[in-house]
Amino acid sequence: MSKVKYYYDPDTLSYRKIEPKKSRKYRNIFLFIAASAIFGFLGLMILLNTDLFNTPRELSLAREVKNYELQFELINRKLEQMEQVLANIEDRDNNIYRLYFEANPIPPEQRRAGFGGVNRYKSLEGFNNSEMIIATAKRVDIIQKQMAIQSKSLDEVTKLAAEKEKLLAAIPAIQPIRNEELTRMASGYGWRSDPFTKARKMHWGMDFTAPKGTPIYASGDGKVIRADNNSSGYGKHIRIDHGYGYMTLYGHLSRYNVKKWQRVKRGDLIGFVGSTGRSEAPHLHYEVWKDDERINPINFYYGSLTAEEFENMLKFANQENQSLD
């Protein structure tokens, strides 16, 4: 039973009962309920953030989730390192390898293109960490695609390198007679005086004077397509097809050291100096052909002459003298 309170009324000289106001009573009830709700909510939050009411299995699963989150973070760090390494390889591929072999660089939008169409990650949606999982999966897929593109590019570069090596070996790049066995460079490419008619005539090769029997060497890798004396003026001569549009001719030989269809390497002994055919004295008449047109052989001795030797040869080759054939 609640206590009844009184107060003394001086006007009536008597005690009167204190009647509480209804508004105050309702306010007190409201404050009590509000305070109870707040303390209840705080208590619930405390309980939820403690392990007091979690089962051992729930605790184990929570630890696994934390561990998976840590593993994903470590994976993303490794993916970042892979992206950096791959970016470095791509940069060298575009700006060194492909540039050297005159291949077009692969544009960045092609290397880093995403995946359109169907949502590839729908099965990963709806989980607590879906955003993190999907982001990592996308990152892995993009790296895999970049690696596939880079692998194809390196295969192409390897093929280009092999072709480049063959091309460099095939180009006629050495003098067909060694300097120490050469008497002199008798005549160069251009307009010269004909030794028989004395008329001014186009000389389509270079004449190297040397004693009869001096060795003649192939100036590049290739296949012998002719070794005969069935071409007017050249006498016994050899023609080598080097591929890539290059062909060399060696005229006025005394004898051969190769046969038709034989494959030769740069520097192989193919024949010997003579004076067969339309020739005034023992010498080698040497021609270089590119795409069925004769060009100046002076530009193809970078593989055997020093700068000083090339300068001397250039000086003699440019003299408009008499040729030997």
Side-chain angles (χ1 to χ4, degrees):
M1 185 176 178
S2 59
K3 293 181 179 181
V4 180
K5 295 183 180 180
Y6 297 88
Y7 73 96
Y8 179 74
D9 185 355
D11 294 331
T12 62
L13 301 175
S14 63
Y15 288 94
R16 288 182 175 276
K17 188 179 180 179
I18 299 175
E19 297 289 345
K21 293 181 179 179
K22 287 185 178 182
S23 60
R24 180 177 296 178
K25 183 179 181 180
Y26 293 146
R27 185 189 65 184
N28 291 338
I29 293 171
F30 174 77
L31 289 175
F32 175 77
I33 294 172
S36 299
I38 291 171
F39 282 110
F41 178 76
L42 292 175
L44 180 62
M45 290 294 101
I46 292 171
L47 290 174
L48 290 176
N49 286 281
T50 63
D51 298 330
L52 294 176
F53 294 94
N54 288 337
T55 65
R57 177 168 176 73
E58 288 173 335
L59 292 174
S60 176
L61 291 174
R63 283 194 294 270
E64 284 187 25
V65 170
K66 289 285 185 184
N67 181 54
Y68 286 138
E69 289 176 350
L70 176 61
Q71 293 300 323
F72 267 96
E73 185 179 348
L74 294 175
I75 289 171
N76 276 279
R77 289 181 186 175
K78 290 180 180 179
L79 290 176
E80 186 176 350
Q81 293 174 349
M82 291 174 64
E83 287 168 344
Q84 291 174 353
V85 172
L86 192 54
N88 182 264
I89 294 173
E90 290 172 350
D91 181 65
R92 282 183 288 161
D93 182 43
N94 272 352
N95 298 310
I96 298 178
Y97 309 142
R98 300 182 71 83
L99 186 65
Y100 177 76
F101 294 113
E102 300 175 357
N104 292 327
I106 300 174
E109 54 271 17
Q110 182 179 339
R111 289 186 184 273
R112 288 165 179 74
F115 301 90
V118 179
N119 182 3
R120 300 163 58 93
Y121 313 103
K122 191 171 183 60
S123 61
L124 302 177
E125 295 175 352
F127 300 99
N128 291 337
N129 295 311
S130 288
E131 187 177 341
M132 177 180 65
I133 296 170
I134 291 172
T136 303
K138 283 182 179 179
R139 208 168 181 182
V140 171
D141 286 344
I142 290 173
I143 289 176
Q144 285 180 333
K145 182 177 180 182
Q146 288 179 249
M147 290 177 68
I149 293 172
Q150 185 58 54
S151 178
K152 288 181 181 179
S153 177
L154 291 178
D155 288 342
E156 183 183 354
V157 167
T158 301
K159 186 177 179 181
L160 290 170
E163 287 297 316
K164 191 85 168 184
E165 187 176 1
K166 290 179 184 177
L167 169 62
L168 293 175
I171 293 175
I174 64 170
Q175 192 173 281
I177 296 179
R178 291 174 180 165
N179 259 352
E180 56 268 24
E181 297 170 334
L182 187 66
T183 305
R184 66 188 178 94
M185 213 289 292
S187 182
Y189 177 96
W191 291 96
R192 300 291 183 267
S193 174
D194 186 280
F196 299 101
T197 65
K198 306 304 177 184
R200 197 164 177 265
K201 178 184 174 183
M202 183 63 186
H203 188 241
W204 295 104
M206 296 183 73
D207 291 342
F208 296 92
T209 303
K212 183 178 179 180
T214 299
I216 299 169
Y217 303 96
S219 56
D221 293 4
K223 179 172 64 177
V224 177
I225 56 173
R226 288 188 67 172
D228 56 56
N229 62 353
N230 297 327
S231 189
S232 176
Y234 291 119
K236 291 183 178 180
H237 77 292
I238 293 171
R239 302 189 192 201
I240 298 177
D241 182 3
H242 301 278
Y244 305 97
Y246 289 99
M247 192 270 289
T248 50
L249 183 149
Y250 311 78
H252 311 303
L253 278 61
S254 59
R255 58 193 175 96
Y256 311 111
N257 195 53
V258 292
K259 296 179 180 178
K260 187 178 180 180
W261 308 129
Q262 181 178 333
R263 298 205 70 85
V264 295
K265 295 285 187 181
R266 179 182 293 148
D268 284 355
L269 176 63
I270 59 172
F272 301 90
V273 170
S275 189
T276 57
R278 193 176 186 273
S279 171
E280 190 179 56
H283 74 287
L284 169 68
H285 175 81
Y286 176 65
E287 293 181 6
V288 175
W289 294 60
K290 180 69 169 73
D291 298 329
D292 297 325
E293 292 186 6
R294 289 175 283 195
I295 57 178
N296 194 343
I298 196 70
N299 300 313
F300 293 88
Y301 300 130
Y302 57 83
S304 60
L305 300 180
T306 66
E308 184 178 355
E309 288 171 338
F310 181 78
E311 188 177 350
N312 288 333
M313 174 179 281
L314 190 62
K315 182 175 67 175
F316 285 111
N318 287 332
Q319 292 177 357
E320 193 169 329
N321 53 7
Q322 178 179 288
S323 66
L324 294 177
D325 45 39

